[in-house]
Amino acid sequence: EAVAAKWMLEFACSCLCRHFAEQSGAEFWRWRDVAQALINGLSQIPPHQKKTVYLCQLLIRVAQGKSLGLQFENDQRISPLESALSFWTLLEREENKLEKLHEDIRRLIQIQIVAVHMENRYFKEAAEALERLFTDSESDKPLRVKLATIIKTKDPYVPLLQSFSYSLLIRKMKSYINLFMKENETNFLLQEATKHVASKGLGATALLNRPVEVNENDESDLETKQRFVLSIILLRDVLGQ
């Protein structure tokens, strides 16, 4: 079960990434539920799956970043984007490169945390969020001061907020996703599904709806198909929860 769940979590993360990048809402929400169910089933996060789990949680929160009514944390003051920032911080700790992209995404999330509050006329909450976002380091001071000044104007359409927009955050996230996907091309279930589709000439919908025919005379093929069937059964069980 643990091995199958590992395959499925990797596959679910891959699907989340693809549908986030393609902005295909219904499919993204479907795979969000699958990924979340699998993550909830982990008693603890294995070290080799930390990036996968953190990225899933990050994408789920960024996708709903403008919905201030949604709560992901016990502290009701924490917006979806502020929760997303905590997972971005965890992802940064798992990587030792991409410094420029890391910094760009971090700054965009921070700015949009303030911007989303201001767009909804929650100026007091924007100021409180700003206090939580930044340390007292000198490197943070210029942006912190600029955002504090913007909050006082109560104008959500100032050039800074327009330049570092939510759509730019999404584009930067897509750039990160592309790099993540290239590094994780060895996704087992995705490879097996791709080979099966290629060998049978099936479309993705037909693949998921059509029973796998097992040839008992071919032990190698049997083992591969059994693993694939197990994964599909697990997926259907998760979706039924």
Side-chain angles (χ1 to χ4, degrees):
E1 288 182 4
V3 173
K6 173 181 177 291
W7 293 339
M8 282 304 305
L9 181 54
E10 291 173 351
F11 185 67
C13 183
S14 174
C15 291
L16 268 184
C17 287
R18 182 163 61 88
H19 294 304
F20 182 94
E22 294 174 356
Q23 297 290 282
S24 48
E27 287 300 307
F28 180 85
W29 304 129
R30 175 171 174 261
W31 284 103
R32 171 202 61 185
D33 294 341
V34 175
Q36 196 63 64
L38 291 163
I39 291 169
N40 291 343
L42 296 173
S43 56
Q44 60 182 12
I45 303 174
H48 64 279
Q49 284 192 296
K50 283 184 177 181
K51 282 183 65 174
T52 301
V53 171
Y54 298 157
L55 181 56
C56 288
Q57 300 288 36
L58 174 70
L59 293 180
I60 290 168
R61 286 155 175 76
V62 170
Q64 297 180 296
K66 285 183 174 274
S67 302
L68 291 178
L70 289 177
Q71 296 294 321
F72 289 98
E73 308 292 339
N74 291 331
D75 186 342
Q76 295 185 357
R77 299 174 302 168
I78 306 301
S79 68
L81 279 181
E82 200 170 340
S83 180
L85 184 62
S86 66
F87 282 100
W88 181 245
T89 300
L90 292 172
L91 265 175
E92 286 181 306
R93 292 173 185 170
E94 296 297 313
E95 298 176 325
N96 53 11
K97 50 186 177 179
L98 306 176
E99 288 87 354
K100 179 63 168 64
L101 183 57
H102 281 160
E103 183 65 18
D104 287 348
I105 291 176
R106 169 172 287 277
R107 291 305 187 204
L108 279 163
I109 295 175
Q110 290 172 327
I111 290 170
Q112 280 303 304
I113 288 170
V114 171
V116 170
H117 277 101
M118 291 187 65
E119 287 169 9
N120 287 274
R121 315 296 293 177
Y122 295 145
F123 302 115
K124 178 175 176 289
E125 290 79 0
E128 292 172 350
L130 183 64
E131 289 297 315
R132 294 191 296 270
L133 286 178
F134 294 100
T135 64
D136 293 328
S137 69
E138 287 300 312
S139 61
D140 289 332
K141 188 175 180 179
L143 181 59
R144 185 173 72 247
V145 171
K146 285 181 182 178
L147 289 174
T149 302
I150 288 170
I151 292 171
K152 289 178 182 177
T153 68
K154 297 186 177 182
D155 181 3
Y157 304 106
V158 298
L160 177 69
L161 300 186
Q162 295 298 298
S163 298
F164 295 89
S165 63
Y166 201 85
S167 60
L168 179 58
L169 170 60
I170 298 298
R171 290 200 299 273
K172 290 289 185 179
M173 284 299 307
K174 289 179 182 179
S175 297
Y176 179 81
I177 286 171
N178 288 336
L179 294 172
F180 179 87
M181 295 292 283
K182 287 178 181 177
E183 292 179 359
N184 292 272
E185 290 177 337
T186 57
N187 183 307
F188 169 77
L189 185 54
L190 186 59
Q191 287 182 334
E192 293 299 321
T194 302
K195 286 190 289 186
H196 186 83
V197 170
S199 67
K200 300 297 182 182
L202 298 173
T205 302
L207 173 63
L208 289 175
N209 292 334
R210 180 176 179 271
V212 176
E213 297 176 0
V214 177
N215 178 5
E216 295 183 1
N217 296 322
D218 187 338
E219 293 183 359
S220 176
D221 191 48
L222 173 62
E223 182 181 0
T224 297
K225 288 179 178 177
Q226 283 175 331
R227 289 199 301 264
F228 185 74
V229 170
L230 176 62
S231 300
I232 295 301
I233 290 172
L234 177 60
L235 168 60
R236 287 173 176 168
D237 286 346
V238 170
L239 288 174
Q241 289 179 351

